[in-house]
Amino acid sequence: MSIILGIESSCDETAAALVTSDREILAHKLAGQEEEHAPYGGVVPEIAARAHAEIITPLIEAALAEADLNLDNVDAIAATAGPGLIGGVMVGLVTGKALAMAANKPLIAVNHLEGHALSPRLANPDLDFPYLLLLASGGHCQILRVNGVGQYRRLATTIDDAAGEAFDKTAKILGLGYPGGPKVETLAKTGDADAVPLPRPLRGSKEPHFSFAGLKSAVVRAHQGGAYRPEDIAASFQQATVDCLKDRLLKALSDHGTVPHLVVAGGVAANGSIRAMLEKLASDHDMQFTAPPLWLCTDNAAMIAWAGAERFAAGLTDPLDFAARPRWPLDPSAEKARGAGVKA
């Protein structure tokens, strides 16, 4: 059994965790930055980086203390190396490098998206490769076939904005504050999902990808017109997002066939309506549906430690000069999507 120290700092969550190769979470510490970013309605990169630098060492010390361990007991150090806000990524990665060097431990530079992609296997020991993954977060919205550790085939991506970004933007438009996803979902429970006529971008399209920019713009217009209640806008937006995700998944299944498991990961996976849709879609196609616990959906260090454990077991470690990456696709060989720019 190996013990991996995981460090996460890619956006606005600073986290440290200790996870074993047999899926035991020995400790997990997380510090959010909601108060720092709330006045701006979103994450400010410079503020995020400073906050990471201030708290990361005490968090790691607290995680080790909770597990009653020291660095000598750890087999490897896993740190997010990208993608993400480069200042925050550098804070976590440099910290991981320093600990690895000081303790003479291997460094594992983890792709943050791989952390999300493998996190369902931390929660579900029966989840085997391959599986179809919907990876939906604030910065990414992709469908991937996960064939193994480090083996990803991208089937679809967003050509503009991600689903999580659309949730956060809708929350800002409606004056709900930050973080927006949970607040939109809460408000939507009291609204009418059929009240506001919103578009479903790319629904029925022959190309496999996602688009949420037009939906965001439609929410702006609906709110500015003053004809609709905020709760109806929230409910209608959420339903439009659910419909878009379902349609694109059906396209992927039609084009590439089914696999035993349909899996969801990323912050958007915490949304109850999206989970309910995915569970029914999986059942309709004789697939098992797997989703991590809600706390594993959002950014955390347990998933980074677990990805590190999976990579460590496969003999995959990294040199201390590994560079932080603001962009890091899981499938570098995937054909660039139309208009996708840097988010491909």
Side-chain angles (χ1 to χ4, degrees), residues 117-169:
L118 296 177
S119 63
R121 284 173 47 82
L122 171 59
N124 181 4
D126 296 324
L127 177 60
D128 293 325
F129 303 117
Y131 51 86
L132 187 69
L133 171 69
L134 172 64
L135 177 54
S137 66
H140 299 270
C141 192
Q142 301 181 352
I143 300 173
L144 301 124
R145 181 184 167 102
V146 181
N147 294 315
V149 177
Q151 301 175 41
Y152 305 96
R153 182 185 175 196
R154 196 206 74 199
L155 308 180
T157 188
T158 178
I159 65 173
D160 41 54
D161 300 327
E165 182 181 350
F167 268 95
D168 287 340
K169 181 65 173 182

Side-chain angles (χ1 to χ4, degrees), residues 77-145:
I77 313 292
T80 297
L85 301 178
I86 191 62
V89 171
M90 290 177 68
V91 169
L93 182 58
V94 168
T95 301
K97 289 179 178 181
L99 294 175
M101 181 181 294
N104 194 28
K105 301 293 182 179
L107 172 73
I108 304 169
V110 175
N111 186 316
H112 179 81
L113 301 181
E114 184 167 46
H116 281 303
L118 296 177
S119 63
R121 284 173 47 82
L122 171 59
N124 181 4
D126 296 324
L127 177 60
D128 293 325
F129 303 117
Y131 51 86
L132 187 69
L133 171 69
L134 172 64
L135 177 54
S137 66
H140 299 270
C141 192
Q142 301 181 352
I143 300 173
L144 301 124
R145 181 184 167 102

Side-chain angles (χ1 to χ4, degrees), residues 21 26 37 42 53 101 118 133 135 138 161 164 217 245 280 289 299:
S21 56
L26 302 177
H37 301 290
M101 181 181 294
L118 296 177
L133 171 69
L135 177 54
D161 300 327
S217 298
L245 294 173
K280 185 176 187 309
F289 174 62
D299 291 350

Side-chain angles (χ1 to χ4, degrees), residues 9-321:
S9 60
S10 64
C11 190
D12 62 334
E13 306 281 4
T14 316
L18 290 145
V19 175
T20 71
S21 56
D22 61 357
R23 294 178 169 82
E24 184 179 0
I25 300 173
L26 302 177
H28 186 263
K29 296 295 183 181
L30 183 144
Q33 302 175 7
E34 289 86 355
E35 291 185 7
E36 290 89 338
H37 301 290
Y40 307 98
V43 178
V44 180
E46 293 81 2
I47 294 175
R50 287 198 297 270
H52 288 308
E54 291 172 359
I55 195 65
I56 195 164
T57 298
L59 273 184
I60 293 170
E61 292 173 346
L64 288 166
E66 180 177 305
D68 195 20
L69 299 173
N70 56 49
L71 287 178
D72 291 336
N73 308 125
V74 172
D75 293 286
I77 313 292
T80 297
L85 301 178
I86 191 62
V89 171
M90 290 177 68
V91 169
L93 182 58
V94 168
T95 301
K97 289 179 178 181
L99 294 175
M101 181 181 294
N104 194 28
K105 301 293 182 179
L107 172 73
I108 304 169
V110 175
N111 186 316
H112 179 81
L113 301 181
E114 184 167 46
H116 281 303
L118 296 177
S119 63
R121 284 173 47 82
L122 171 59
N124 181 4
D126 296 324
L127 177 60
D128 293 325
F129 303 117
Y131 51 86
L132 187 69
L133 171 69
L134 172 64
L135 177 54
S137 66
H140 299 270
C141 192
Q142 301 181 352
I143 300 173
L144 301 124
R145 181 184 167 102
V146 181
N147 294 315
V149 177
Q151 301 175 41
Y152 305 96
R153 182 185 175 196
R154 196 206 74 199
L155 308 180
T157 188
T158 178
I159 65 173
D160 41 54
D161 300 327
E165 182 181 350
F167 268 95
D168 287 340
K169 181 65 173 182
T170 296
K172 189 172 184 179
I173 293 166
L174 298 178
L176 302 180
Y178 176 84
K183 295 185 178 182
V184 170
E185 181 179 12
T186 298
L187 184 61
K189 292 177 181 178
T190 61
D192 179 358
D194 298 318
V196 185
L198 296 176
R200 273 67 170 164
L202 292 185
R203 184 167 67 172
S205 170
K206 292 183 179 180
E207 67 175 309
H209 303 302
F210 298 94
S211 171
F212 293 98
L215 178 56
K216 281 171 38 178
S217 298
V219 169
V220 172
R221 292 191 295 270
H223 180 64
Q224 289 176 339
Y228 303 105
R229 301 185 306 157
E231 53 267 43
D232 291 338
I233 295 175
S236 298
F237 161 78
Q238 180 173 264
Q239 187 59 52
T241 303
V242 168
D243 292 345
C244 290
L245 294 173
K246 178 180 179 180
D247 181 77
R248 301 292 80 197
L249 281 164
L250 289 172
K251 172 67 174 171
L253 291 171
S254 174
D255 288 349
H256 303 284
T258 61
V259 290
H261 291 269
L262 173 63
V263 177
V264 63
V268 176
N271 182 281
S273 295
I274 291 174
R275 284 195 177 216
M277 176 274 290
L278 294 171
E279 190 166 8
K280 185 176 187 309
L281 187 148
S283 176
D284 290 345
H285 289 79
D286 296 321
M287 301 169 71
Q288 295 293 318
F289 174 62
T290 298
L294 296 184
W295 76 271
L296 264 180
C297 293
T298 53
D299 291 350
N300 64 87
M303 72 178 189
I304 301 304
W306 175 250
E310 295 246 45
R311 295 185 70 81
F312 188 65
L316 301 173
T317 61
D318 298 285
L320 290 174
D321 62 354

